[in-house]
Amino acid sequence: MTAYPEATDDGTDRIQAAWRRELPGVPVGSIGVITRMWRLGQLLADDRRRTLERLGVDNPTLDLLSTLRRSGPPYRLTPGQIAARSFVTAGAVSQRIARAEAAGLVRRERSAADGRSAVVALTDEGRELNERVVADLLRHEETLLDGLDDAQRATLAGLLKTLLADLTQRFGAEDRPSAIS
């Protein structure tokens, strides 16, 4: 059994206590959750940016390639399908496609269904890059959870899933964040 580090003082409890003292009667319980989640989000975003830089790809390109790869063979989607599946605007998708096409990672094709609409297809180079990067990224991110045992991971994943579903419903579908890998 792996020994996990004890939770250290991250300053959040002191912030919460100070606001409780300074604004009595104002609910401050969310600070213990939201502040830590925000700080974790910043740490994870910075780590992912550095990791992807080391792996030779940026976040938007990985998102595009991953969206196409997860669609299954023949790894083709319309720009509208890409936008819906990656939760970004059509304009952002268009820019991502143009950059990835210039790099030889995707190609635009005419739809076989009607010959008028376009589909975006993952090239062999794009598929190979995506598979290498996702494998390396997920192996790395697995190590970020070494401080939690399997039961803790399952509990945390379940709680985050519940919170995300609730906030997504309350904020609306258009405010959903992008899913990268």
Side-chain angles (χ1 to χ4, degrees):
M1 176 107 174
T2 305
Y4 297 104
E6 292 294 320
T8 59
D9 179 10
D10 62 7
T12 305
D13 294 333
R14 287 192 311 268
I15 292 168
Q16 190 173 14
W19 282 119
R20 186 175 288 117
R21 180 190 68 239
E22 295 299 317
L23 296 175
V26 173
V28 298
S30 64
I31 292 173
V33 175
I34 302 294
T35 298
R36 286 185 176 103
M37 287 175 54
W38 180 84
R39 291 177 70 193
L40 281 168
Q42 294 297 310
L43 288 170
L44 293 172
D46 289 346
D47 180 77
R48 181 170 277 204
R49 181 191 45 76
R50 286 189 305 272
T51 301
L52 292 180
E53 186 177 293
R54 177 179 55 78
L55 295 172
V57 69
D58 63 17
N59 219 16
T61 301
L62 179 61
D63 189 32
L64 171 64
L65 299 179
S66 293
T67 300
L68 288 166
R69 180 64 177 87
R70 288 190 315 264
S71 72
Y75 312 118
R76 289 176 175 82
L77 295 171
T78 67
Q81 290 170 320
I82 294 168
R85 293 179 186 195
S86 60
F87 311 120
V88 295
T89 66
V93 166
S94 180
Q95 290 175 359
R96 290 176 180 191
I97 292 169
R99 283 194 311 267
E101 186 175 33
L105 303 173
V106 301
R107 69 179 169 274
R108 295 175 214 241
E109 301 174 347
R110 288 282 162 220
S111 171
D114 65 14
R116 291 177 293 144
S117 60
V119 295
V120 179
L122 195 58
T123 64
D124 289 342
E125 294 83 0
R127 185 184 48 75
E128 290 167 10
L129 174 67
N130 181 254
E131 289 174 4
R132 178 183 55 81
V133 169
V134 168
D136 287 351
L137 178 65
L138 293 179
R139 278 193 282 280
H140 168 70
E141 289 183 347
E142 187 68 24
T143 69
L144 299 179
L145 299 176
D146 283 349
L148 301 174
D149 64 30
D150 290 344
Q152 290 169 319
R153 287 182 186 202
T155 299
L156 181 58
L159 293 170
L160 291 172
K161 184 177 182 178
T162 299
L163 181 59
L164 182 59
D166 178 59
L167 293 179
T168 299
Q169 181 182 16
R170 289 199 273 157
F171 291 158
E174 66 279 357
D175 294 328
R176 288 183 288 183
S178 176
I180 303 300
S181 55

